Amino acid sequence: MTQKQAVAAELAPSGVLRVAMNYGNPVLAQRGAHEQSPKGVSADLARSVAQELGLPVQFHGYDAAQAVVEAVYRDEWDLAFLAIDPKRAEKIRFSEAYVHIEGTYLVREESAFQTVDQLDRQGVCIAVGKGAAYDLFLSRHLNHADLVRATTSADAIDLFVEQELDAAAGVRQPLERYARSRSGLRVLPDSFTVIRQAMAVPSERTLAHAWIEAFIARQKKEGMVAQFLADSGQANVTVPE
């Protein structure tokens, strides 16, 4: 058995590479015409992995990162795309980051808040998608403000608007897109964290993890990650070295 065959056997023991697509982050994944035709850098990287290892690929869609994390305990996927977080590392092994994304706040135009630090005050309520990378980060770092959790990141924006909360936390690009679509909203210019997005495998698949690490390093070096991002209209995203 060659090294690639051994990696393929460990990564996809069923013989099919089951890939979790997190549609809660539209910067990285966008729905296609049907479930097996997703778009975005995550989908393109998954197809490249499958091609190199000689595996058929099967996509499974989820509406939020938390749903992807929960699904690993039910053995629903072999490969996923998630933000690196120590809490998730209990059951998941991450590659090095292939994309850096800013976490920031959506606020109302008339809001007094000008920087992210100003929101950590008593009585401030911030909408956030439950289990998202920025939910986990803010849960550890906010000392005074309260988090109000919605099922998904998209729902968090709706919650912010409907309940007239102080802010919605999220990824900069979709927040800015939403702000452009409605009057009276703006996105703060700075960020409370840089979210490191990575490829992920179940923690026990150590051989596959080592291969994925080398794969993503090569994809970044050869410019493929940047190309996949540009192909899906996300060229303004940072690819770390």
Side-chain angles (χ1 to χ4, degrees):
M1 183 181 289
T2 67
Q3 183 194 24
K4 279 191 176 182
Q5 288 172 331
V7 169
E10 183 186 89
L11 178 60
S14 69
V16 176
L17 181 63
R18 302 169 303 161
V19 180
M21 298 297 294
N22 171 25
Y23 293 117
N25 189 335
V27 174
L28 305 182
Q30 304 96 44
R31 295 185 188 274
H34 53 81
E35 185 156 13
Q36 297 310 310
S37 62
K39 302 174 182 178
V41 63
S42 297
D44 289 336
L45 286 170
R47 293 186 183 104
S48 296
V49 169
Q51 183 176 14
E52 287 202 24
L53 295 178
L55 290 165
V57 62
Q58 183 181 80
F59 293 102
H60 297 267
Y62 299 88
D63 290 329
Q66 180 65 17
V68 176
V69 173
E70 292 170 357
V72 75
Y73 291 92
R74 300 189 297 269
D75 188 29
E76 290 184 2
W77 55 262
D78 306 305
L79 181 68
F81 298 83
L82 290 164
I84 299 169
D85 187 270
K87 187 174 181 180
R88 295 173 177 173
E90 297 167 5
K91 183 61 178 174
I92 296 168
R93 283 181 182 263
F94 295 97
S95 72
E96 63 181 71
Y98 68 92
V99 161
H100 283 173
I101 297 173
E102 288 183 77
T104 188
Y105 294 122
L106 175 70
V107 298
R108 288 173 180 77
E109 191 67 57
E110 70 274 14
S111 170
F113 300 121
Q114 300 298 323
T115 65
V116 295
D117 290 343
Q118 293 174 351
L119 277 94
D120 193 10
R121 298 178 184 176
Q122 201 74 33
V124 170
C125 293
I126 301 168
V128 65
K130 182 179 180 181
Y134 29 92
D135 177 21
L136 300 177
F137 177 87
L138 292 172
S139 295
R140 291 192 295 266
H141 291 86
L142 288 178
N143 296 312
H144 305 290
D146 293 320
L147 295 175
V148 183
R149 293 178 175 85
T151 304
T152 68
S153 298
D155 290 339
I157 297 176
D158 293 336
L159 191 67
F160 156 71
V161 173
E162 292 166 6
Q163 295 193 12
E164 297 186 355
L165 303 180
D166 296 289
V171 171
R172 176 174 297 282
Q173 287 86 348
L175 291 183
E176 289 180 339
R177 192 176 306 120
Y178 188 88
R180 287 194 297 269
S181 72
R182 296 174 63 114
S183 62
L185 299 175
R186 60 185 170 88
V187 177
L188 296 186
D190 59 346
S191 59
F192 54 77
T193 188
V194 172
I195 302 165
R196 298 176 299 145
Q197 294 286 342
M199 299 179 75
V201 298
S203 58
E204 67 275 8
R205 300 182 193 181
T206 54
L207 182 64
H209 173 257
W211 188 87
I212 289 294
E213 276 273 44
F215 167 83
I216 200 62
R218 177 162 42 85
Q219 294 291 303
K220 290 195 298 181
K221 184 176 181 180
E222 294 175 357
M224 294 309 300
V225 173
Q227 184 61 57
F228 292 150
L229 285 163
D231 290 345
S232 58
Q234 305 294 335
N236 61 336
V237 180
T238 301
V239 179
E241 293 183 2

